[in-house]
């Protein structure tokens, strides 16, 4: 319990000494606890002003359970005060709960802000990083302001939060700003409750705050320029075609002129990134509209304080280099979110006026994004020509968020900066679960009460750097949210690093875990569907369509074209794509032509002869692949829908070898004729469940069209339409059997908007109620949420055996 908030406060803000509300009114005192995002968002000064407006005495403080307030005065005024807490909260605050209890008055004589209180077992929500606010932006470009062109300007309404916080409660000594001593002017603002920077923890100015400087990456020694000159020089280098590493909010970006083919090509070559799209940044929406279509909803998202990368459709005749997003009709675009970005993009000191800069993660291929100065100089030394550095440390690595608008609503693809660590709110109370996620695009999730704290994007768990980033991320979340997990959830795949991490925890008994902690393996596609159900608040049994690239099945094969009936507790497999051989395992994923050969293997030779596909493959490799298919050497079976798309993409000559995950399918989608509504007829078997959906008729029909010279755009459209129609057809068969009419769609395949739009159309027409993802990615970035809710339900079930672990080995 809170106690001892007597007279010994550090910050006495008494405005007058006379007791308020003294004239013959009913007096009372209330203790109020406000929960939500209420720290680091100007909440205490807001409460201070509100109390003064209502002529109430008492105090306010930050505690680990939220903002705690006591007010004393007229009971009527107290009630109005409580109502106003929610009604007029500051812009960045998220008020989740206001609890109040009335007590006898004790004669407070003023209203004061108390020092923060800590309690070990309580937690508060932590604000994500927020882009520079309009007030700070105005000051940034106001020559009369003392922070004119200062790249670290911020206030209680904006600036870094999550990425600089080391622990709670959120106070300057617990952030990476602890090293900076405020100057008298900053201190005055910091302690003045009527100032916008009152208790703005990262408050800083050119006199006392962090600094920026430029280092030439190619030469050692003292060749750095500082301050404004450094930014102008960086911009000058960018105009000359250089690649500059720029330290941002959650890590480094590699930056170059997005209109310059040569620069973009050089960046691709150095980064080892062949075709995967780069994100770009423009000064404002007006600049974006020069090269992309922007709807109202998209504009809102671009300008939101979270400042995500928004996927937008390109305009023709765009000045942006085609190398920024090869073979893609969309561009990932964001607006500036730090003052440094604004200074870099705004044209002062620039001889030419580029409408956009490439802003891609500062890393080599799939390693984690660099965050420290020394680390960047070392790891990005061969990638960047110069480094724009600063000395405000980044405590937590946080990549940019990627999102887009679908059917007028946000549908997130990568949930990270600006979003994490804001929780997904669930409709039910959870145990404290740590869910470790899967492998690609990984995130983890920890739950407490009715919150699911999904981590920022961690990345592909394929190297030790990412694993260590994952491990330290979990430790940080556990500390921040005061969590000691009573359940651990993980993917069934025995080779995933996240699974190994979970099993390691079990065997080496981390100190914080009790010996009784249950470890719950969760099937990948069940987790996908549960994630969709959790964010949509659907606790009942549904038909789940989980289409993705790879997920370990209960039979040890690679699943990915799955129709389940499931709820949080359990699932049954009702239908799936027919198994084909994944010739050479990982090699078949990198080389879609291997999948094409596998799908065509059992088709009549007369049908497949003369296909250009076979002319493009080295005869020796062709022979090896055929042998792998025949004998099952080094190959498992797969029902993956991702591989089906890959195979069709290769068969049509669109993409034989991928350079990033999903490339073949994305290029197939991009080519599909939007206006074409017809699809191939896909015969579905009736009868026994699970239904096995044969893919041979589809390949037969495609080859027929291919040989008849039907344009690729039409074939792609007919294929997409056939898949959409097949999904709703299979759902009808399941509905006949199980009587279910709610359908959840999940898995990375549904990032394909051509497919998603048409699938939803068919399902709605046939009277289904479909659910899709909005707040959480449909790809593996959303898996951890599903794992958490499943583990929570399984542990609560009477059939659950405590401490049981089973990891299936590959079945033959
Ligand atoms: Zn601000
Ligand atoms: Zn200062």
């Amino acid at each position: 319990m809170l106690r001892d908030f007597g007279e010994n406060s550090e910050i006495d803000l008494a405005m007058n000494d006379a007791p308020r509300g003294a004239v013959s009114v009913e007096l009372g005192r209330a203790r109020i606890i406000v929960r939500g995002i209420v720290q680091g968002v100007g909440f205490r000064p807001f409460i201070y002003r509100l109390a003064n407006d209502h002529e109430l005495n008492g105090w306010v403080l930050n505690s680990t359970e939220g903002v705690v307030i006591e007010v004393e005065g007229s009971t009527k005024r107290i009630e109005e005060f409580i109502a106003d807490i929610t009604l007029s909260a500051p812009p960045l605050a998220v008020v989740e709960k206001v609890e109040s209890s009335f007590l006898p008055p004790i004669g407070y004589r003023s209203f004061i802000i108390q020092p923060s209180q800590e309690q070990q077992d309580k937690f508060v929500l932590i604000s994500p990083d927020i882009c520079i606010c309009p007030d700070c932006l105005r000051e940034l470009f106001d020559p009369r302001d003392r922070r004119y062109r200062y790249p670290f300007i911020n206030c209680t309404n904006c600036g870094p939060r999550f990425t600089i916080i080391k622990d709670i409660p959120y106070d300057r000594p617990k952030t990476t700003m602890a090293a900076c001593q405020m100057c008298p002017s900053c201190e005055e603002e910091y302690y003045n409750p009527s100032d916008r920077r009152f208790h703005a923890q990262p408050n800083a100015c050119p006199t006392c705050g962090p600094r920026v400087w430029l280092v030439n990456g190619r030469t050692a020694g003292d060749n750095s320029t500082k301050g404004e000159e450094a930014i102008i020089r960086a911009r000058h280098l960018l105009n000359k075609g250089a690649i500059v590493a720029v330290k941002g909010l959650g890590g480094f970006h590699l930056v170059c002129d997005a209109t310059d083919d040569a620069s973009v090509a050089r960046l691709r070559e150095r980064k080892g990134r062949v075709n995967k799209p780069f994100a770009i940044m423009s000064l404002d929406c007006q600049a974006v509209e020069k090269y992309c279509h922007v709807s109202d909803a998209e504009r809102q998202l671009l300008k939101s304080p979270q400042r995500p990368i928004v996927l937008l459709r390109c305009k023709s005749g765009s000045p942006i280099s085609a190398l920024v997003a090869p073979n893609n009709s969309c561009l990932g675009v964001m607006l500036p979110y730090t003052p440094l970005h604004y200074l870099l993009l705004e044209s002062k000191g620039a001889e030419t006026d580029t409408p956009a800069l490439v802003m891609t993660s500062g890393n080599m291929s799939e390693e984690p994004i660099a965050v420290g100065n020394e680390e960047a100089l070392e790891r990005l030394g061969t990638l960047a020509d110069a480094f724009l550095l600063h000395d405000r440390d980044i405590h937590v690595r946080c990549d940019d968020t990627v999102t887009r608008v679908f059917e007028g609503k946000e549908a997130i693809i990568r949930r990270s900066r600006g979003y994490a660590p804001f929780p997904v709110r669930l409709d039910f109370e959870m145990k404290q679960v740590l869910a470790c996620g899967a492998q690609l695009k990984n995130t983890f999730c920890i739950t407490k009460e009715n919150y699911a704290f999904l981590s920022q994007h961690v990345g592909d768990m394929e190297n030790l750097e990412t694993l260590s980033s994952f491990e330290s991320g979990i430790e940080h979340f556990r500390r921040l949210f005061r969590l000691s997990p009573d359940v651990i959830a993980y993917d069934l795949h025995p080779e995933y690093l996240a699974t190994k991490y979970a099993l390691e925890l079990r065997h080496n008994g981390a100190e914080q875990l009790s010996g009784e902690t249950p470890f719950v393996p969760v099937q990948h596609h069940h987790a996908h569907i549960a994630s969709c159900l959790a964010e949509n608040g659907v606790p009942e049994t549904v038909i789940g369509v989980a289409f993705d690239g790879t997920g370990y099945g209960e039979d040890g094969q690679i699943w990915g074209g799955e129709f389940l009936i499931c709820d949080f507790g359990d699932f049954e497999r009702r239908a799936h794509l027919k198994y084909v051989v994944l010739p050479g395992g990982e090699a078949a994923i990198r080389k879609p032509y291997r999948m094409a050969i596998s799908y065509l293997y059992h088709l009549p030779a007369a049908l497949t002869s003369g296909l250009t596909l076979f002319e493009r493959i080295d005869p020796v490799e062709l022979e090896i692949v055929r042998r792998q298919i025949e004998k099952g050497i080094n190959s498992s079976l797969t029902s993956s829908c991702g591989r089906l798309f890959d195979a069709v993409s290769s068969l049509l000559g669109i993409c034989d070898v991928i350079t990033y995950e999903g490339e073949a399918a994305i290029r197939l989608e991009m080519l599909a004729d939007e206006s074409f509504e017809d699809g191939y007829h896909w015969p579905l078997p009736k009868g026994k469940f699970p239904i096995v959906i044969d893919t041979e008729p589809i390949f037969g029909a495609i080859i027929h069209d291919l040989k008849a010279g039907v344009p690729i755009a039409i074939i792609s459209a007919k294929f997409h339409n056939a898949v959409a129609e097949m999904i709703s057809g299979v759902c009808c068969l399941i509905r006949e059997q199980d009587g279910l009419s709610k359908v959840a769609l999940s898995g990375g395949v549904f990032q394909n908007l051509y497919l998603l739009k048409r699938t939803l159309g068919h399902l709605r027409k046939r009277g289904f109620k479909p659910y899709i993802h909005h707040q959480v990615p449909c790809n593996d970035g959303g898996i951890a949420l599903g794992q958490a809710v499943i583990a929570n339900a399984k542990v609560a079930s009477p059939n659950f055996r405590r401490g049981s672990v089973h990891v299936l080995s590959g079945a033959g």
Side-chain angles (χ1 to χ4, degrees):
M1 270 282 100
L2 296 160
R3 57 187 183 277
D4 296 336
F5 305 128
E7 284 71 42
N8 55 344
S9 68
E10 285 177 2
I11 322 150
D12 193 334
L13 301 160
M15 302 294 267
N16 63 60
D17 283 325
R20 288 152 176 174
V23 195
S24 70
V25 286
E26 197 191 334
L27 291 182
R29 173 166 64 111
R31 153 75 60 104
I32 303 157
I33 299 174
V34 187
R35 305 202 56 173
I37 296 188
V38 289
Q39 295 186 9
V41 292
F43 208 81
R44 287 175 301 170
F46 155 70
I47 291 295
Y48 177 84
R49 283 190 296 272
L50 199 62
N52 275 298
D53 291 349
H54 289 282
E55 300 180 342
L56 300 171
N57 293 328
W59 48 260
V60 58
L61 63 79
N62 270 348
S63 88
T64 33
E65 63 178 322
V67 167
V68 185
I69 307 160
E70 277 206 17
V71 282
E72 194 173 294
S74 120
T75 46
K76 186 167 166 289
R77 281 308 192 85
I78 291 176
E79 277 159 15
E80 289 166 1
F81 170 84
I82 292 171
D84 280 349
I85 291 175
T86 317
L87 289 176
S88 40
L92 295 183
V94 180
V95 175
E96 295 255 308
K97 219 190 270 172
V98 181
E99 294 163 351
S100 57
S101 51
F102 275 83
L103 305 158
I106 50 174
Y108 289 125
R109 295 176 62 83
S110 60
F111 194 91
I112 57 171
I113 296 179
Q114 299 265 14
S116 300
Q117 288 290 313
E118 283 182 61
Q119 279 178 297
Q120 278 315 307
D121 57 330
K122 295 290 184 179
F123 78 102
V124 291
L125 301 185
I126 288 165
S127 173
D129 300 294
I130 293 300
C131 81
I132 182 172
C133 74
D135 288 329
C136 286
L137 192 57
R138 209 171 303 120
E139 290 172 355
L140 182 66
F141 291 114
D142 177 0
R144 291 158 307 176
D145 194 275
R146 71 187 189 94
R147 292 187 179 84
Y148 176 55
R149 303 188 76 80
Y150 178 59
F152 302 95
I153 189 168
N154 69 81
C155 73
T156 44
N157 298 322
C158 73
R161 295 289 186 275
F162 175 56
T163 53
I164 61 164
I165 295 178
K166 294 176 166 175
D167 202 353
I168 57 164
Y170 173 60
D171 272 330
R172 192 168 173 114
K174 291 188 173 170
T175 70
T176 61
M177 286 298 289
C180 272
Q181 182 70 41
M182 273 185 282
C183 71
S185 309
C186 285
E187 225 167 54
E188 201 183 303
E189 295 164 335
Y190 184 87
Y191 290 117
N192 177 2
S194 60
D195 195 281
R196 206 172 87 246
R197 298 193 165 87
F198 175 70
H199 280 244
Q201 308 305 347
N203 190 25
C205 79
T207 312
C208 65
R211 279 143 220 283
V212 63
W213 68 95
L214 188 86
V215 174
N216 188 327
R218 300 275 159 178
T219 44
D222 183 22
N223 62 344
S224 61
T225 37
K226 297 181 178 71
E228 165 116 53
E229 207 190 314
I231 299 169
I232 294 173
R233 172 103 184 108
R235 183 57 199 264
H236 176 79
L237 288 171
L238 290 169
N239 289 334
K240 291 255 181 279
I243 294 163
V244 182
V246 178
K247 188 174 181 180
L249 214 47
F252 275 79
H253 279 122
L254 288 166
V255 183
C256 75
D257 182 346
T259 61
D260 180 12
D261 284 344
S263 302
V264 182
R266 202 173 315 121
L267 179 55
R268 287 207 172 278
E269 196 195 310
R270 289 188 193 168
K271 206 172 138 85
R273 188 149 147 169
V274 184
N275 283 330
K276 192 175 178 184
F278 286 141
I280 59 176
M281 183 181 274
S282 282
L283 187 61
D284 51 27
C285 281
Q286 235 178 336
V288 177
E289 277 169 287
K290 286 184 185 144
Y291 55 84
C292 275
H293 301 278
V294 186
S295 70
D296 286 346
E298 287 163 344
R299 188 171 302 110
Q300 229 171 12
L301 209 45
L302 278 170
K303 291 167 80 170
S304 71
Q306 291 82 4
R307 292 288 155 96
I309 295 169
V310 183
L311 294 189
L312 301 170
R313 289 189 79 83
C314 302
K315 285 182 175 170
S316 57
S318 151
I320 306 298
S321 164
L323 297 173
V324 169
N327 309 306
N328 203 311
S329 54
C330 290
L331 273 172
V333 185
M334 60 184 152
L335 298 186
Y337 50 89
T338 68
L340 184 58
H341 293 153
Y342 273 98
L343 294 169
L344 201 59
L345 276 151
E346 170 261 5
S347 52
K348 187 174 171 184
E351 302 80 37
T352 54
D353 205 9
T354 181
L357 295 173
V358 165
M359 285 285 218
T360 188
S361 311
N363 55 10
M364 192 68 167
S365 59
E366 298 305 329
E367 288 174 6
I369 185 168
V371 292
N373 291 341
E374 290 306 316
E375 180 198 357
L377 287 168
E378 193 183 312
R379 282 178 50 204
L380 310 180
T382 55
L383 276 70
D385 301 308
F387 291 79
L388 191 56
L389 304 175
H390 63 68
D391 53 2
R392 187 178 68 200
D393 286 345
I394 299 169
H395 184 64
V396 176
R397 180 178 278 128
C398 202
D399 288 76
D400 294 316
T401 287
V402 183
T403 189
R404 67 176 161 201
V405 174
F406 178 73
E407 294 190 333
K409 274 175 81 178
E410 177 168 18
I412 214 155
I413 292 169
R414 179 168 84 188
R415 190 178 182 277
S416 205
R417 178 190 48 78
Y419 292 72
F422 189 68
V424 175
R425 204 168 324 150
L426 303 172
D427 292 346
F428 45 90
E429 288 267 318
M430 292 278 293
K431 286 182 177 299
Q432 296 192 22
V433 185
L434 164 63
C436 300
Q439 176 92 338
L440 299 179
K441 308 180 172 81
N442 203 25
T443 62
F444 59 85
C445 179
I446 56 177
T447 58
K448 190 163 179 169
E449 297 174 8
N450 61 333
Y451 298 115
F453 298 94
L454 207 54
S455 76
Q456 73 273 32
H457 169 78
V458 176
D460 297 348
M461 304 268 288
E462 289 176 332
N463 52 55
L464 289 176
E465 289 78 10
T466 314
L467 178 65
S468 99
S469 177
F470 169 80
E471 290 175 349
S472 60
I474 289 176
E475 283 319 304
H476 188 52
F477 266 61
R478 284 172 62 160
R479 194 166 52 248
L480 281 188
F481 299 110
R482 305 292 191 246
L483 186 107
S484 54
D486 5 86
V487 184
I488 312 283
Y490 59 94
D491 193 276
L492 276 182
H493 202 308
E495 293 306 317
Y496 282 177
L497 289 184
T499 302
K500 289 182 172 171
Y501 167 83
L503 297 177
E504 184 85 357
L505 269 187
R506 178 166 198 265
H507 296 304
N508 295 338
E511 322 78 70
Q512 301 94 326
L513 299 178
S514 81
E516 291 288 277
T517 305
F519 282 70
V520 184
V522 178
Q523 201 281 323
H524 192 91
H525 302 96
H526 186 201
H528 266 308
I529 301 301
S531 166
C532 182
L533 297 181
E535 76 151 285
N536 283 292
V538 182
E540 65 218 69
T541 307
V542 300
I543 302 172
V545 185
F547 278 14
D548 69 355
T550 299
Y552 201 76
E554 288 193 315
D555 57 1
Q557 306 298 359
I558 305 299
W559 294 9
E562 311 306 313
F563 293 80
L564 314 175
I565 61 164
C566 63
D567 55 19
F568 292 142
D570 222 338
F571 78 94
E572 277 175 47
R573 198 182 189 196
R574 276 284 183 271
H576 61 87
L577 293 179
K578 188 175 172 179
Y579 282 129
V580 293
V581 175
L582 194 64
E586 279 298 309
I589 298 173
R590 281 197 316 276
K591 300 171 173 174
Y593 64 80
R594 283 177 166 248
M595 283 317 300
I597 300 167
S598 185
Y599 278 102
L600 301 186
Y601 189 75
H602 293 290
L603 290 179
L607 189 65
T608 57
S609 70
L611 286 173
T612 57
L613 168 72
F614 297 109
E615 292 162 20
R616 298 195 302 270
I617 303 168
D618 170 65
V620 178
E621 191 182 355
L622 184 60
E623 206 31 56
I624 293 170
V625 174
R626 282 188 168 144
R627 217 169 316 133
Q628 283 175 332
I629 295 169
E630 205 164 325
K631 303 226 159 70
I633 311 159
N634 191 20
S635 308
S636 37
L637 296 176
T638 187
S639 56
S640 162
C641 188
R643 297 294 86 77
L644 171 66
F645 275 74
D646 286 356
V648 172
S649 185
S650 170
L651 175 60
L652 298 185
I654 298 168
C655 183
D656 284 332
V657 179
I658 61 164
T659 64
Y660 64 92
E661 200 224 344
E663 182 179 5
I666 289 169
R667 290 171 66 178
L668 181 65
E669 176 195 359
M670 292 300 154
L671 288 171
D673 187 325
E674 276 285 348
S675 61
F676 201 83
E677 295 296 333
D678 284 346
Y680 296 115
H681 172 64
W682 198 330
L684 297 176
K686 305 257 172 188
K688 227 170 85 217
F689 289 94
I691 298 167
V692 176
I693 305 151
D694 195 355
T695 48
E696 282 181 15
I698 288 299
F699 281 96
I702 291 174
I703 292 169
H704 185 269
D705 272 359
L706 201 55
K707 286 185 171 173
V710 175
I712 299 297
I714 301 294
I715 299 181
S716 173
K718 286 170 84 172
F719 169 68
H720 277 87
N721 291 329
V723 176
E725 176 82 47
M726 177 273 286
I727 292 171
S728 73
V730 173
C731 286
C732 285
L733 294 176
I734 296 171
R735 180 169 59 185
E736 280 167 29
Q737 154 101 4
D738 296 290
L740 301 168
S741 61
K742 292 187 172 175
V743 179
L745 304 177
S746 189
V749 167
F750 289 110
Q751 270 174 231
N752 181 327
L753 293 191
Y754 193 105
L755 178 70
L756 181 60
K757 211 164 98 182
R758 283 157 179 81
T759 303
L760 288 174
H762 286 302
L763 287 172
R764 287 177 183 138
K765 210 165 61 199
R766 293 181 177 188
F768 287 100
K769 170 94 182 97
Y771 294 92
I772 61 169
H773 287 274
H774 288 286
Q775 307 172 56
V776 171
C778 67
N779 59 48
D780 285 6
I783 278 271
L785 172 62
Q787 291 176 340
V789 292
I790 290 169
N792 185 66
K794 278 194 188 287
V795 170
S797 138
N799 301 327
F800 184 77
R801 281 186 303 129
R802 180 156 281 271
S804 69
V805 174
H806 72 285
V807 174
L808 294 157
S809 56

